[in-house]
Amino acid sequence: MQRNLSELGLSYIHKLSVLRLAVDLIKADNQIYGEEVAVLTDLHQQFGLSQQDIDGIHYITLQQAVDSLKDLEVEAAEMIVDLLNDIMCVDNDIDYDENILLTSVKMSIAQNSKSWCNVISATNVMDETSQKQIMYLEDAPSEAAHKVFDDKYDRLLITKAFNDLGLDFFYLPDAISGMNPSVGLGTKDNAALLRQAMKYLVPSAVASSDASEGAFNPYDFFHFLMSRYNVSADVLKSHSFLMLKIRDSYYLDDDNNLARAVDFFVMDVSQEVKKRIYSFVSNFDKKSNQISYEGCYKILCDYLSTESKNVSHVFLDAKYDFRLKDSARTPIVFESSPQARTFYLLLLWYGEKGVPQSLFEEALSRLGQINRDDYLCKDTRMFDMNRFLKSLQDEKTEVARLIYNTIAIYSAISTKDTENVKFLDYISKIFHYRSALKHYVNKGFADVGKLSDPAAFSVMFDAQLKVYRLPAKVSRFVVETSVGPVDLAAGDLWKSLI
């Protein structure tokens, strides 16, 4: 069991991560053995860590620990996996929780699988998650995955392989086939059973008319499920993958408060589908287990229910009015529009970094100092907006970019004449009344009955950093164009911003 890791040249964060994983594995089966504690003591000494250093492992999530070990050399990664494997075998009784934790770590840092395996630690998860349910999920069609899963023989073998581990394989086309004949290969008996069960398992759970009319969109369900698990599509790094809950875990946040996370194992199956699945399965001692009704099926029932709420996308029509991307195009109404919509789209453009309060103040001051007569046309005495925008573009400062982008958005949304010398007054008001606009936007989203989590779209103000930002990603927004709906990021307005 004794392995000398001190010669591997591990960094400080590598050492903390290894120790965190060792502790997690020892706790996985809820049994503590003397041999396991001896391993921790040995690691403590080899790494030359103080007690204060060891306390630091409790601030690291499983995702952070695994991510830090992905850059290890092959030999170092193999030695760490061997160490963790020895820990698991101390009691000669390999528990499922130990097995899934070790398999997730091993495949996420091993040279031959780390590029297509990963661990995600999600916080503020809205829904219960099943530890015995492996889900196939996609936000875009995957030819390689469907070639395997839509073949009845291949899917039967894969389902059995998962069942032998005690895992229920959730494959959405199977779950909804029969509700929507145009989708999937599942049996009508299963679909009828699910529909009948929904009447009892979920309050008022009658499948929506959209589903029976063939309007069910599996990619909207993907976003719905991800929002319930509070997992951002940006961290998945794959458009088609298998996802399995590892465990519920806890860590200390920056305020030293105990915070809960749900750890998931994610495996990209956009290629080499069967090879990757059987590589995963080969790590387990096969144990049959009865599958209960939970996890994705429960969330699917919520989604198909008449009371199902939409969190997937916001639709912007030709006038940039906000609507939910549902069959009724439910409107989202903001007071003081179009200023509120301009403020919102401006923050959406700036993304996670947001816009500092000081930059808004600087932009407001800058607009107040502009001599507008300098930009009046000699003949018409109208404001030359194009020349003004060109001067901002040439300046290439943050404040100039903010003013430029606000004008570009407001010009697209409002009906105000950009050649009127008073046009800039409307832009100044957006900067000046940003706090009120934040309130109007958040109230507009909160008032929409079909939106299950208004906070996911609401404007936030970080009081510590003094920054306005949005948690929502631009990928959640679609805009109407002459050729039909397209992603907002691909629309003309977004392309015009600097």
Side-chain angles (χ1 to χ4, degrees):
M1 170 104 37
Q2 300 297 318
R3 298 179 185 276
N4 189 357
L5 301 181
S6 61
E7 299 177 358
L8 294 178
L10 300 180
S11 68
Y12 176 69
I13 190 62
H14 285 153
K15 294 175 183 179
L16 292 188
S17 297
V18 171
L19 199 57
R20 170 68 197 240
L21 295 176
V23 170
D24 285 348
L25 196 57
I26 287 172
K27 295 191 300 182
D29 62 354
N30 296 317
Q31 299 288 331
I32 305 296
Y33 292 86
E35 295 91 336
E36 294 172 332
V37 176
V39 172
L40 296 181
T41 302
D42 183 54
L43 285 176
H44 181 179
Q45 294 172 351
Q46 285 190 44
F47 289 160
L49 298 173
S50 67
Q51 184 58 50
Q52 184 176 2
D53 292 331
I54 293 175
D55 291 342
I57 69 173
H58 301 292
Y59 293 87
I60 303 173
T61 65
L62 183 63
Q63 178 180 346
Q64 291 169 333
V66 170
D67 283 347
S68 75
L69 299 178
K70 278 183 174 288
D71 63 355
L72 290 175
E73 298 294 332
V74 175
E75 179 186 2
E78 289 177 350
M79 285 190 66
I80 289 170
V81 169
D82 288 344
L83 169 73
L84 298 176
N85 188 66
D86 286 346
I87 293 173
M88 187 175 73
C89 295
V90 162
D91 58 0
N92 296 312
D93 181 19
I94 300 175
D95 175 274
Y96 171 85
D97 293 327
E98 294 175 308
N99 216 332
I100 183 57
L101 176 58
L102 180 61
T103 297
S104 301
V105 172
K106 174 182 176 181
M107 296 189 71
S108 296
I109 69 175
Q111 186 67 31
N112 61 351
S113 56
K114 65 181 181 180
S115 64
W116 43 272
C117 292
N118 202 17
V119 168
I120 294 173
S121 297
T123 58
N124 301 317
V125 175
M126 294 173 58
D127 226 288
E128 292 183 7
T129 50
S130 169
Q131 198 168 359
K132 295 300 181 71
Q133 193 172 76
I134 188 163
M135 307 164 271
Y136 172 71
L137 300 169
E138 61 181 10
D139 65 355
S142 170
E143 181 179 354
H146 284 289
K147 185 177 180 180
V148 174
F149 296 140
D150 291 345
D151 181 283
K152 292 185 178 180
Y153 180 73
D154 281 339
R155 191 167 73 257
L156 178 64
L157 293 178
I158 289 170
T159 301
K160 184 181 184 304
F162 285 141
N163 286 345
D164 287 344
L165 305 181
L167 294 176
D168 176 20
F169 179 35
F170 179 87
Y171 184 53
L172 182 61
D174 275 351
I176 64 173
S177 178
M179 295 181 184
N180 182 351
S182 67
V183 180
L185 293 173
T187 65
K188 292 184 178 180
D189 289 343
N190 286 343
L193 178 61
L194 177 59
R195 184 186 288 275
Q196 182 68 20
M198 284 168 60
K199 297 178 181 178
Y200 303 99
L201 297 174
V202 181
S204 304
V206 179
S208 68
S209 59
D210 284 349
S212 61
E213 292 170 2
F216 183 90
N217 187 327
Y219 310 116
D220 278 353
F221 175 68
F222 164 84
H223 290 288
F224 181 82
L225 188 143
M226 288 295 97
S227 69
R228 296 286 281 264
Y229 286 171
N230 198 29
V231 173
S232 169
D234 297 339
V235 304
L236 293 170
K237 301 177 183 178
S238 173
H239 294 290
S240 56
F241 54 93
L242 290 170
M243 185 170 175
L244 172 66
K245 176 184 174 181
I246 303 171
R247 59 171 191 175
D248 294 307
S249 63
Y250 296 89
Y251 66 98
L252 292 176
D253 63 20
D254 292 341
D255 296 320
N256 292 320
N257 296 318
L258 197 63
R260 177 177 176 267
V262 178
D263 300 322
F264 293 99
F265 174 64
V266 177
M267 183 167 66
D268 179 2
V269 287
S270 59
Q271 55 183 306
E272 299 180 317
V273 181
K274 288 189 284 188
K275 178 181 177 181
R276 294 180 178 184
I277 289 174
Y278 289 120
S279 175
F280 168 79
V281 169
S282 67
N283 285 279
F284 285 78
D285 287 342
K286 297 176 174 56
K287 298 177 182 178
S288 295
N289 194 25
Q290 186 176 358
I291 305 302
S292 61
Y293 180 89
E294 57 184 342
C296 288
Y297 292 106
K298 177 180 178 296
I299 295 176
L300 177 62
C301 287
D302 288 349
Y303 180 78
L304 295 175
S305 167
T306 52
E307 295 186 355
S308 173
K309 297 181 178 182
N310 186 301
V311 296
S312 58
H313 286 80
V314 171
F315 178 83
L316 305 178
D317 63 20
K319 297 180 180 179
Y320 290 94
D321 286 321
F322 284 49
R323 301 177 181 275
L324 288 186
K325 192 188 173 190
D326 56 15
S327 58
R329 289 286 192 263
T330 305
I332 306 170
V333 181
F334 305 129
E335 189 176 342
S336 190
S337 189
Q339 288 93 337
R341 285 179 289 148
T342 299
F343 179 66
Y344 190 89
L345 292 176
L346 185 69
L347 295 181
L348 189 63
W349 166 258
Y350 280 89
E352 291 184 359
K353 69 176 184 179
V355 180
Q357 179 172 270
S358 59
L359 187 59
F360 278 125
E361 292 291 348
E362 185 180 354
L364 183 61
S365 175
R366 174 69 177 278
L367 286 176
Q369 296 169 4
I370 291 172
N371 186 349
R372 303 184 188 186
D373 289 342
D374 292 343
Y375 295 95
L376 294 180
C377 297
K378 293 181 179 180
D379 299 331
T380 63
R381 302 302 293 170
M382 302 296 288
F383 189 77
D384 191 341
M385 180 59 73
N386 289 333
R387 186 156 62 90
F388 180 64
L389 290 175
K390 181 66 167 57
S391 68
L392 293 173
Q393 196 169 19
D394 291 343
E395 184 178 318
K396 297 181 180 178
T397 63
E398 284 301 316
V399 66
R401 290 191 186 97
L402 181 67
I403 297 172
Y404 180 99
N405 290 330
T406 308
I407 292 173
I409 296 171
Y410 190 75
S411 299
I413 291 179
S414 77
T415 58
K416 303 298 183 183
D417 183 5
T418 59
E419 294 183 335
N420 190 314
V421 71
K422 294 184 178 181
F423 183 87
L424 294 183
D425 292 340
Y426 298 109
I427 306 302
S428 295
K429 289 178 180 178
I430 293 172
F431 298 150
H432 182 73
Y433 294 110
R434 57 189 180 275
S435 180
L437 296 178
K438 168 181 173 288
H439 170 74
Y440 296 149
V441 164
N442 293 350
K443 184 177 184 301
F445 280 110
D447 287 344
V448 180
K450 290 188 175 183
L451 196 60
S452 64
D453 186 17
F457 290 91
S458 298
V459 177
M460 300 170 58
F461 179 69
D462 188 322
Q464 184 175 2
L465 298 177
K466 306 296 184 184
V467 170
Y468 291 86
R469 62 164 62 93
L470 287 175
K473 308 293 184 183
V474 69
S475 58
R476 292 283 188 90
F477 293 78
V478 176
V479 63
E480 184 65 56
T481 70
S482 58
V483 296
V486 301
D487 290 342
L488 178 60
D492 291 339
L493 174 59
W494 231 238
K495 293 177 180 179
S496 72
L497 305 181
I498 60 175

